[in-house]
Amino acid sequence: KVYGIWRESPKFQIPNFKGTASEILMIPFWDLGLGAWLFLIPLYLYTSIPLCSQSIQELENNLKSASAEEKPVILNQLAEAYLNTNANKSISYAEQALKESRKTDDPNGVTSALVNLGDGYKAIKNPKKAIQNFMEAIKLFDEYCQPSSSAYLWNKIADSYLPTQQYADALDANKKAMDLYKKENDKIGMANTHTDIGDIYFKQQK
């Protein structure tokens, strides 16, 4: 499925939107509301590392000489880069990113790391740990008043319940996402969540 900006593009930050360049470039501009653009504009202010040209090897080389502030950024990028090919390595880098981010009291790095951990555990079919990390990230997003980010993660939590057929929990998570999208008048988020809820009801009837 292809959803809006909040689906499968998890690096929605405090206060910036941070994702890989490929994720950003693949999002049709007409799907981006004003709020999203306000987060995209400061993207390159958050890190001086060009996302589009960094290979895994280059990132790993850069990590050796990175400053304390740069390390969480590179580690999170490595976690993202390994997610689809080596989820365990992705988790390892995300754990390091979380540790380094907490050292420098960097909420952007912490939330990125938590979401990367959630994605990693989801990839290795450990929904319990995936949900734990997504929930921890939601607490931070709520603390910093980022309802769209929290809503997006409630969607991811709902997805995490589906492999174990915990449909009631998945519906509850999607309804929490829907409430947040409604408060933000996020029509794309609402539409995507309506689709997800419909899919769950269909699965329940099988």
Side-chain angles (χ1 to χ4, degrees), residues 33-193:
L34 176 60
W37 281 113
L38 291 176
F39 284 103
L40 285 168
I41 289 168
L43 169 65
Y44 293 105
L45 300 179
Y46 174 62
T47 172
S48 60
I49 302 168
L51 301 182
C52 58
S53 61
Q54 297 291 297
S55 69
I56 287 176
Q57 185 175 356
E58 287 173 327
L59 287 169
E60 288 176 336
N61 288 337
N62 287 340
L63 186 60
K64 296 172 185 175
S65 58
S67 67
E69 290 74 21
E70 292 169 334
K71 277 183 181 179
V73 179
I74 298 172
L75 288 165
N76 274 315
Q77 289 177 5
L78 283 165
E80 296 167 27
Y82 274 110
L83 179 62
N84 294 322
T85 57
N86 189 335
N88 285 311
K89 199 160 189 177
S90 175
I91 289 169
S92 176
Y93 276 122
E95 287 173 342
Q96 293 176 61
L98 184 59
K99 182 179 178 181
E100 294 298 325
S101 298
R102 284 176 170 162
K103 280 183 184 177
T104 57
D105 195 24
D106 174 13
N108 286 339
V110 170
T111 51
S112 278
L114 289 169
V115 176
N116 284 332
L117 280 169
D119 286 338
Y121 282 118
K122 187 178 174 186
I124 63 170
K125 304 187 187 310
N126 189 335
K128 184 177 180 180
K129 282 195 173 182
I131 291 166
Q132 286 175 349
N133 283 283
F134 292 145
M135 286 295 298
E136 194 171 346
I138 285 173
K139 288 178 184 177
L140 269 176
F141 283 131
D142 288 346
E143 181 182 343
Y144 284 86
C145 300
Q146 297 290 319
S148 291
S149 303
S150 295
Y152 165 74
L153 289 181
W154 279 117
N155 287 145
K156 290 186 78 67
I157 287 171
D159 289 343
S160 300
Y161 281 123
L162 296 181
T164 52
Q165 299 183 355
Q166 293 175 263
Y167 297 132
D169 290 327
L171 283 171
D172 183 60
N174 272 325
K175 286 174 182 176
K176 287 177 179 176
M178 181 68 76
D179 289 342
L180 291 168
Y181 286 132
K182 284 179 179 177
K183 287 179 182 179
E184 293 297 290
N185 195 29
D186 183 339
K187 294 180 180 179
I188 293 174
M190 286 188 281
N192 292 337
T193 305

